[in-house]
Amino acid sequence: MTEPSAQPPTAQRIEEIARSATAELDSLENLEAVDQWRISYLGRRGTLTTVLRALSSLDVDERRTIGALANEAKNTLEDRLEQRVRHINEAALTRSASQNRLDVTLPGRPSKAGRLHPTTQIVREICSAFVAMGFGVVEGPEVEWEHYNFEMLNIPKGHPARDMWNTLWVDYEDPSGEQAMLLRTHTSPMQARVMESREPPIRVVVPGKCYRYEATDATHEWHFYQVEGLAVGEGITFADLKGTLYEFAHRLFGEERQIRFRCDYFPFVEPGVDMSIDCFACQGQGGGCRICRDSGWIEILGAGMVHPKVLEKVGYDKDRYTGFAFGMGPERIAMLKYGIDDIRHFYANDLRFLRQF
Amino acid sequence: MRVPLSWLRQYVDIDLPARELAHRLTMAGIEVSEVEVIGGWTEVFVGHVTSVRPHPNADRLRLCVVSTGSEELEVVCGAPNVAAGQKICFAKVGANIYNTHSERHETLEAAKIRGIESQGMICSAVELGLGDDHSGIIVLPDDAPTGAPLDDYLGDTVLELELTPNRLDCLSVLGVAHEVAALTGKKVQEPEANYEESGVPIAELVNISVASPELCRRYTASLLLGVKIGPSPQWLQDRLTRAGLRPINNVVDVTNFVMLEYNQPLHSFDYDLIKDATVIVRRARPGELLTTLDGVERKLTAENLVIADANDAIGLGGVIGGAESEISEGTVNVLLESATFNGANNRETAQSLGLRTEATLRFEKGLRPELAPIALRRATALIHEVAGGTVAPGIVDVLSDEGADAPVVMLTSDKIKRLLGMEVDLERVQGIMDALGFIWESAGDSGLKVTVPYWRNDINIEEDLVEEVVRTIGYDSVPTTMISSPIPVQQPAPVMVLRDQIKDLLAAAGIQEVINYPLVTLQQLEQVEQLDAAALPLRVSNPLSSDREYLRTTLRASLLATLAANQGHGAGPFRMFEAGRVFWPRNGDLPEERETVAGVLAGLRHEPSWLEDDSLLDFYDAKGVVELVLDRLGVAATYEPIDDPGFHPGRCAVIKASEAVLGMVGEVHPVVMERLGLDSPQVAVFELYLEPVLAAMPSSQQQFEPLPRYPSATRDLALVMPSDVEAARVTQLILRHEDVDRAELFDIYAGENIAEGAKSLAIHVYFQAKDRTLTNEEVNRSLDGLLRTLERELNAKLRA
Ligand SMILES: [Zn+2]
């Protein structure tokens, strides 16, 4: 430590003090030493303080220039001091943190998100494809009158086409003693209900549960979903049906999909078709493909132009309005998309199955 | 329907490979589900047995010399029916045939049988895969060409058709032939039905009347006298066998053959067994008895149409014949019936008697009346050909007032454009109509008047004809457009939006969605809720099984069953929910379908891990989920304790908003858990009814509330009170107090330092005024009042 000096301060002297003080500070690694350093340079009797005090022995001009130098040196040292203290503190924090290491290879704290049932997911996907084309989503009753499930859809009693829908009947007889209530065999009754309740233009999709009196196997469930579609208005054509379903197939199965129609029969449409898409698994090539069973095509849905008798039954002017309708099985579409080989998985509700989606 | 190509070729030329033909038919709406190839034999030929002599070393075996035209080979044969002069199926050494001993297909080798080498084999149906008959060899017709590969002579391809109910026409080979002709540009060769008539006219020999013309639009009959009943010729048997029917005798076989050929079911009666030679087509007398061909005595009603003689029913019209009048070996005179019965009535009779026959499959779809006499003449000619005898001149033809005119349907260019969105050249349309066998004449300059041919029963309106056009030109030629009219304005039903929102919230809260069958047992429902014996849940009258019989009135029953089923796979956590409908019966109406969401929580609270404790999910987890959902929806709910038999005593709350019940939350009663085999100390469930939740949601848009501008003051209270005081009561009282902003319960304590029967609740109470900073004095004054209220109302005191 330098003794207080009676010598008048010089620029050179101030520079020397600043240099040696800085060098000394940079070598200090703990707060006690830094405090000692502060006292010896910047303390009341510290070296630099002493120099400052001796300024009064200088003449006015010298006092101004040397004084400025001395003040600058003091500020610099104070800044350096602050930096050093921060450096020492941070180094200490780092040291202590490095004592608290984790085994980052251990598994994280588990938090499982719930998932929506694959049917919910696919039904939403199907519906939103149609919503984007201006369709609204409506739902209807699962327990339905025979009237809506069959009669209004041009499937009168005694019609052989009734064999297409094996029915679960509800234990209920109408006043004439006829079975009149059933678990709907398809979502199509909503076609009649929607048309009865409003005037064209109509553009809706109807998702919902359906039921059949049928033995189950890998491709048949007695309880399943359908998504029905209906568009009625002036000037709606089969070409529009094609365009709408083309767009749907592209949204669900990819831009490059081709579609194909073949003649099919449903009593509530005429002409009636079913639609296939070219197989997305083998790109329509067949050749040992499991998904399309070698045909290169996958049947996706049934469709057609609304039968004039159906329009008549709901009181529409069949010479003014035309429309198209379609229906599809979301489970089948999910099975195709995810490669599920057995429809019975869907409602067995084994969590090990459901958590995969 | 099985259509052998060999049979089809009888009426139409086919120059397409079978697979291509199958594809075209499928695309046109006649779905070919399978193309079955019969034959595919190699080294099997038509052989001629030139001599037969006994085997020197075996009584049952014989040595036959078989000529293939180019060579003569000696074979050992054990069949009892082999004889010199026969044409047979001859497998040469090297042929791959079915070996009945090893039960495999094997290559035939030259082998010594009892010391004599056999240089081939005379085959039975089994070895060639043509049937099950191993009692003897197949004997071919005499005109079979010796030396021809058997594949050329007997090989065939059968199209298996999976038909939609409208295409009745393709239940017949001729119907398919018409379709094939239209698709390939060929012409159909209809079979001939020429025969000679002689003797007394039929009109003098049988008296036929139709008493119920509404159920029998046309009844035609012919009479064959002096026929000889016996087996059918081979060609007829082959046709039937290949199409899947069993040959019976020549007369019955002809009726079946013509049914498959033309679609028209026919029936043959033993003329001599018809009392008074009188046939009356009438409704059955109530309770009238008839023993049908299958030997079953059936009791009839007036809804059943019978064919009767002067006294009794002798057949069930269009369904099945009677045993009494059946054709037998001794039959000499045959009355042949070809009629048009009412489809719906025929179907109902068949269904009520459980008798779906080949005939009813056709009648129920509504056969055209023009067909009856055509098929009658064809069958008469064939019976005459294969069973001999004479045909009485004329036929009986009783036609109802409805007549038998072919439907005439208009088809206009305008309709085609309106339906398809494209123009189809009228000449092209005419060509399509021609190819399909429709007769047309021009009607105006852009329309056709189209007469529907007798084999099509599915064409009734203009739209049907448009389909004929589009399925012929192909759907690919229709343009692809989007609907050009404006999009209708529509909003989804609020309850659907709510259901989706809740599903998303629950999934985000870590709960897995499941979807259960809505049909359960009554017992399952009884276990989780009190049933009203006077208003039981709806029942399915034809359940698939006894465990799927009743429509659920709660989601909890099936949810708990799903939990039980999953508990076998681990210790949880099990967090599942279902959003679905429950069904509440209504008198004389469809049930009320209530949108409901329910959840079940059981097992470990956290996923098993090295980090976590092993605490278990309980009531408060379920309630926390409910609070999360309702809070997110802006519903202010209260939870009132309630005792419900399905729930653990004292661990169940009914969720309410004002007086409306929104749902339940609780833990399952231990007894119920035991019955369901649930394997956890506790199972928590919740159920929310969406309509009341929707009603309890704020109807107007949530408005912004300014943030507090002045600081709040906090006081921590430790309150001792009797242990049965509900926490919600305490916080309610506190909140009701002046200047209190909120109250947070942060600890509950009972035990040491607290008197028996008492508990301590620790609560942060926040005081806040909107317009100023509350002074200490104000806060303390408020607090004093608060404490007085708590003491007065709940006997709650500050903990000493
Ligand atoms: Zn494929």
Side-chain angles (χ1 to χ4, degrees):
Chain A
M1 189 177 286
T2 319
E3 278 300 304
S5 164
Q7 285 171 5
T10 63
Q12 191 191 357
R13 172 83 185 123
I14 289 167
E15 201 178 309
E16 263 171 29
I17 293 170
R19 196 167 42 241
S20 71
T22 307
E24 197 180 319
L25 182 64
D26 284 351
S27 69
L28 301 178
E29 288 300 342
N30 66 70
L31 293 177
E32 290 76 24
V34 169
D35 204 44
Q36 281 302 313
W37 176 92
R38 185 187 58 78
I39 292 164
S40 78
Y41 287 100
L42 301 171
R44 204 158 48 85
R45 294 154 64 85
T47 317
L48 193 59
T49 317
T50 311
V51 170
L52 281 166
R53 207 173 294 141
L55 284 174
S56 54
S57 62
L58 301 177
D59 63 35
V60 177
D61 282 352
E62 263 189 332
R63 198 189 302 166
R64 189 174 298 131
T65 50
I66 303 295
L69 277 176
N71 269 318
E72 192 190 314
K74 181 172 179 249
N75 288 342
T76 305
L77 288 186
E78 277 169 354
D79 282 355
R80 297 295 291 255
L81 168 68
E82 199 179 308
Q83 280 171 25
R84 193 66 199 164
V85 167
R86 196 184 311 134
H87 167 80
I88 290 167
N89 281 336
E90 286 176 356
L93 208 54
T94 303
R95 261 195 317 278
S96 98
S98 60
Q99 303 304 309
N100 292 312
R101 289 174 169 277
L102 295 180
D103 178 354
V104 297
T105 66
L106 280 170
R109 183 164 283 121
S111 72
K112 244 180 210 166
R115 289 165 192 275
L116 294 174
H117 192 281
T119 302
T120 299
Q121 295 185 37
I122 204 87
V123 165
R124 283 188 179 182
E125 208 180 325
I126 293 167
C127 288
S128 52
F130 287 105
V131 166
M133 288 184 267
F135 285 74
V137 183
V138 295
E139 291 179 351
E142 290 172 28
V143 179
E144 185 55 283
W145 294 118
E146 181 268 354
H147 174 76
Y148 283 105
N149 198 75
F150 290 125
E151 294 290 333
M152 293 295 281
L153 295 171
N154 192 29
I155 318 166
K157 277 209 175 62
H159 195 292
R162 283 214 177 181
D163 291 350
M164 292 166 80
W165 299 275
N166 295 319
T167 307
L168 282 163
W169 293 92
V170 172
D171 201 0
Y172 170 90
E173 283 180 359
D174 68 9
S176 62
E178 296 276 331
Q179 281 191 317
M181 204 188 282
L182 46 74
L183 302 191
R184 67 175 171 194
T185 58
H186 45 187
T187 42
S188 311
M190 272 305 278
Q191 287 189 27
R193 284 183 177 273
V194 169
M195 286 192 276
E196 268 186 348
S197 69
R198 46 175 129 147
E199 286 298 306
I202 282 172
R203 253 189 257 188
V204 293
V205 282
V206 189
K209 285 189 176 191
C210 305
Y211 307 86
R212 301 263 171 96
Y213 182 79
E214 248 167 43
T216 56
D217 61 26
T219 53
H220 297 88
E221 248 285 4
W222 67 274
H223 155 280
F224 56 94
Y225 279 72
Q226 273 190 351
V227 179
E228 186 86 7
L230 177 73
V232 183
E234 287 182 58
I236 292 182
T237 65
F238 188 88
D240 294 332
L241 167 67
K242 252 185 101 171
T244 305
L245 294 181
Y246 221 122
E247 183 65 24
F248 162 72
H250 283 179
R251 283 173 186 267
L252 231 76
F253 298 101
E255 264 319 307
E256 67 284 6
R257 288 280 71 78
Q258 298 297 307
I259 62 170
R260 185 180 84 174
F261 290 98
R262 71 175 204 95
C263 187
D264 203 347
Y265 170 71
F266 309 97
F268 38 94
V269 292
E270 188 71 31
V273 289
D274 69 43
M275 186 184 95
S276 300
I277 54 170
D278 64 329
C279 178
F280 48 77
C282 64
Q283 302 304 322
Q285 298 305 302
C289 178
R290 259 184 54 219
I291 303 286
C292 63
R293 290 202 211 94
D294 261 8
S295 68
W297 294 93
I298 304 170
E299 221 174 284
I300 291 295
L301 54 82
M305 300 302 291
V306 179
H307 198 287
K309 279 201 185 142
V310 174
L311 295 176
E312 262 173 27
K313 278 173 189 283
V314 299
Y316 280 7
D317 179 352
K318 69 180 167 63
D319 294 323
R320 182 171 169 202
Y321 299 117
T322 50
F324 63 73
F326 55 84
M328 68 191 88
E331 293 92 348
R332 176 171 160 72
I333 291 176
M335 287 171 81
L336 290 167
K337 278 193 94 153
Y338 303 127
I340 301 166
D341 59 359
D342 194 327
I343 195 172
R344 287 170 294 196
H345 283 309
F346 282 81
Y347 308 113
N349 289 314
D350 188 325
L351 291 174
R352 295 168 300 178
F353 169 80
L354 296 176
R355 283 189 179 138
Q356 294 183 29
F357 302 95
Chain B
M1 173 73 187
R2 289 170 58 81
V3 181
L5 287 189
S6 58
W7 191 349
L8 197 56
R9 283 203 171 92
Q10 191 179 330
Y11 317 114
V12 63
D13 282 344
I14 296 170
D15 44 23
L16 291 175
R19 300 232 158 248
E20 173 61 22
L21 181 68
H23 175 71
R24 288 212 202 165
L25 284 167
T26 300
M27 298 311 287
I30 313 298
E31 188 178 348
V32 179
S33 58
E34 207 188 320
V35 178
E36 184 192 329
V37 176
I38 294 171
W41 306 289
T42 52
E43 295 297 300
V44 185
F45 300 90
V46 176
H48 182 213
V49 181
T50 55
S51 71
V52 176
R53 62 187 171 96
H55 190 294
N57 306 327
D59 289 347
R60 293 217 183 128
L61 299 178
R62 271 167 294 177
L63 301 180
C64 309
V65 176
V66 175
S67 164
T68 64
S70 55
E71 54 186 331
E72 297 216 327
L73 299 161
E74 189 172 54
V75 295
V76 178
C77 183
N81 63 332
V82 68
Q86 286 172 338
K87 295 289 178 66
I88 47 83
C89 305
F90 180 58
K92 283 169 76 170
V93 170
N96 193 283
I97 56 172
Y98 187 76
N99 183 326
T100 53
H101 297 291
S102 69
E103 300 187 339
R104 274 185 310 190
H105 275 85
E106 284 175 5
T107 302
L108 188 64
E109 289 169 7
K112 278 201 171 160
I113 302 170
R114 294 286 181 103
I116 295 187
E117 187 171 84
S118 183
Q119 296 171 299
M121 182 188 256
I122 302 175
C123 300
S124 74
V126 176
E127 278 113 17
L128 296 174
L130 287 173
D132 305 327
D133 187 3
H134 192 44
S135 64
I137 57 163
I138 296 176
V139 179
L140 299 174
D142 288 345
D143 61 0
T146 303
L150 193 67
D151 233 20
D152 294 353
Y153 185 68
L154 270 193
D156 204 348
T157 301
V158 180
L159 305 181
E160 181 84 51
L161 305 185
E162 205 157 287
L163 294 168
T164 53
N166 60 326
R167 291 308 298 271
L168 166 71
D169 54 309
C170 289
L171 276 174
S172 73
V173 182
L174 257 174
V176 178
H178 283 293
E179 193 69 17
V180 169
L183 292 172
T184 59
K186 306 282 193 216
K187 280 262 171 291
V188 168
Q189 204 67 43
E190 287 211 34
E192 291 184 354
N194 300 323
Y195 53 87
E196 264 182 39
E197 300 173 330
S198 58
V200 184
I202 184 172
E204 292 171 29
L205 296 174
V206 61
N207 176 22
I208 296 179
S209 61
V210 177
S212 301
E214 75 283 6
L215 300 183
C216 177
R217 191 166 166 187
R218 190 171 206 173
Y219 194 95
T220 69
S222 67
L223 183 61
L224 293 108
L225 303 169
V227 301
K228 182 163 171 30
I229 305 295
S232 293
Q234 193 63 42
W235 70 264
L236 181 52
Q237 294 198 24
D238 285 349
R239 285 271 188 266
L240 293 179
T241 312
R242 211 148 280 181
L245 290 189
R246 203 163 43 84
I248 294 165
N249 62 49
N250 46 10
V251 171
V252 173
D253 289 354
V254 165
T255 59
N256 281 333
F257 174 83
V258 174
M259 176 181 72
L260 293 180
E261 187 177 48
Y262 273 96
N263 242 345
Q264 173 71 51
L266 302 115
H267 189 70
S268 50
F269 297 95
D270 186 326
Y271 171 73
D272 299 309
L273 298 177
I274 301 173
K275 180 120 179 98
D276 296 346
T278 297
V279 172
I280 305 166
V281 183
R282 59 163 169 84
R283 288 174 184 269
R285 292 185 284 264
E288 188 169 3
L289 296 173
L290 171 68
T291 303
T292 45
L293 271 177
D294 51 6
V296 180
E297 185 177 79
R298 297 173 189 276
K299 198 172 178 183
L300 307 176
T301 74
E303 289 310 305
N304 305 136
L305 185 76
V306 296
I307 313 300
D309 63 15
N311 297 343
D312 302 309
I314 55 171
L316 207 46
V319 180
I320 192 167
E324 291 279 310
S325 58
E326 192 183 350
I327 298 287
S328 65
E329 274 179 39
T331 299
V332 181
N333 303 316
V334 173
L335 181 73
L336 189 62
E337 163 202 290
S338 176
T340 312
F341 297 111
N342 176 283
N345 174 264
N346 179 274
R347 180 178 157 87
E348 212 174 302
T349 295
Q351 278 183 342
S352 64
L353 298 177
L355 273 169
R356 302 294 291 276
T357 60
E358 288 283 338
T360 65
L361 271 185
R362 291 167 169 83
F363 279 124
E364 68 169 22
K365 296 184 175 73
L367 284 172
R368 295 274 301 278
E370 301 100 297
L371 183 56
I374 297 173
L376 180 77
R377 290 203 168 87
R378 168 71 170 156
T380 306
L382 281 175
I383 292 174
H384 188 232
E385 180 189 321
V386 303
T390 60
V391 183
I395 62 166
V396 175
D397 187 353
V398 186
L399 191 58
S400 82
D401 295 342
E402 260 188 281
D405 292 336
V408 176
V409 181
M410 283 295 298
L411 178 58
T412 60
S413 298
D414 180 53
K415 187 72 166 191
I416 294 175
K417 178 148 198 302
R418 221 167 83 81
L419 222 51
L420 299 183
M422 70 182 290
E423 313 251 8
V424 182
D425 188 63
L426 203 59
E427 264 179 50
R428 183 145 187 227
V429 174
Q430 292 165 355
I432 291 166
M433 293 295 116
D434 285 339
L436 287 165
F438 290 68
I439 313 288
W440 56 267
E441 54 186 277
S442 292
D445 47 349
S446 63
L448 302 177
K449 217 170 124 186
V450 179
T451 305
V452 181
Y454 70 83
W455 60 88
R456 292 294 295 270
N457 73 328
D458 60 323
I459 307 293
N460 301 299
I461 57 173
E462 199 168 3
E463 284 77 3
D464 295 332
L465 286 175
V466 175
E467 176 167 270
E468 294 302 299
V469 171
V470 66
R471 77 186 180 94
T472 309
I473 64 173
Y475 300 90
D476 283 347
S477 47
V478 179
T480 300
T481 56
M482 290 305 271
I483 304 173
S484 53
S485 49
I487 293 173
V489 178
Q490 46 202 345
Q491 295 295 335
V495 73
M496 285 167 55
V497 178
L498 174 64
R499 188 189 55 212
D500 274 358
Q501 197 179 356
I502 292 180
K503 280 164 86 158
D504 287 337
L505 278 169
L506 293 175
I511 311 177
Q512 170 69 47
E513 186 189 10
V514 300
I515 297 177
N516 288 301
Y517 297 141
L519 291 178
V520 293
T521 66
L522 206 54
Q523 192 191 9
Q524 266 181 298
L525 293 174
E526 274 167 348
Q527 276 169 353
V528 296
E529 72 179 9
Q530 197 99 44
L531 293 177
D532 177 358
L536 285 178
L538 283 177
R539 195 183 146 267
V540 168
S541 55
N542 57 334
L544 281 154
S545 64
S546 58
D547 58 342
R548 292 168 198 162
E549 195 173 350
Y550 286 89
L551 277 158
R552 62 185 177 189
T553 46
T554 168
L555 299 182
R556 282 179 275 137
S558 32
L559 210 46
L560 290 176
T562 296
L563 172 66
N566 273 288
Q567 279 189 326
H569 308 141
F574 298 103
R575 287 187 287 249
M576 295 181 271
F577 78 92
E578 177 170 15
R581 296 185 184 165
V582 299
F583 302 84
W584 286 89
R586 284 189 291 206
N587 222 343
D589 201 352
L590 294 177
E592 187 188 347
E593 299 190 10
R594 295 186 194 160
E595 290 286 353
T596 306
V597 173
V600 56
L601 306 171
L604 291 172
R605 177 169 290 128
H606 301 286
E607 293 291 331
S609 141
W610 61 279
L611 277 161
E612 298 293 347
D613 60 82
D614 49 5
S615 64
L616 298 172
L617 289 158
D618 63 18
F619 174 87
Y620 294 110
D621 293 283
K623 188 174 174 189
V625 169
V626 171
E627 285 169 337
L628 167 87
V629 169
L630 295 180
D631 176 61
R632 183 68 187 75
L633 298 173
V635 173
T638 56
Y639 300 81
E640 293 174 13
I642 190 170
D643 269 331
D644 184 291
F647 287 93
H648 189 298
R651 295 191 181 179
C652 175
V654 57
I655 308 163
K656 286 185 170 180
S658 308
E659 280 313 295
V661 173
L662 308 186
M664 304 276 275
V665 55
E667 282 180 11
V668 178
H669 199 291
V671 170
V672 174
M673 286 181 53
E674 201 171 87
R675 284 192 195 148
L676 294 175
L678 291 170
D679 175 30
S680 303
Q682 71 257 348
V683 172
V685 295
F686 62 87
E687 192 163 51
L688 289 171
Y689 316 122
L690 299 201
E691 287 292 353
V693 170
L694 194 63
M697 280 166 66
S699 53
S700 57
Q701 191 66 47
Q702 172 73 37
Q703 291 298 306
F704 166 72
E705 191 174 300
L707 302 181
R709 294 168 62 186
Y710 301 93
S712 65
T714 313
R715 295 290 187 275
D716 287 353
L717 307 181
L719 295 164
V720 180
M721 65 198 76
S723 51
D724 62 352
V725 172
E726 290 157 12
R729 276 289 283 152
V730 180
T731 41
Q732 269 165 21
L733 279 180
I734 294 174
L735 283 173
R736 210 176 289 163
H737 211 79
E738 198 186 351
D739 291 336
V740 172
D741 181 48
R742 63 204 160 89
E744 277 166 13
L745 177 68
F746 66 91
D747 191 35
I748 300 178
Y749 177 75
E752 218 176 313
N753 297 329
I754 301 288
E756 188 85 358
K759 66 180 174 186
S760 162
L761 300 188
I763 303 171
H764 299 300
V765 183
Y766 297 87
F767 295 88
Q768 169 101 59
K770 283 202 168 87
D771 54 351
R772 65 190 193 285
T773 305
L774 290 171
T775 64
N776 245 335
E777 289 71 45
E778 283 175 310
V779 172
N780 288 341
R781 204 159 50 236
S782 181
L783 187 60
D784 286 345
L786 180 59
L787 290 171
R788 276 198 301 279
T789 312
L790 288 170
E791 181 159 7
R792 188 178 65 240
E793 299 284 330
L794 303 175
N795 193 17
K797 299 187 188 74
L798 273 183
R799 190 169 162 187

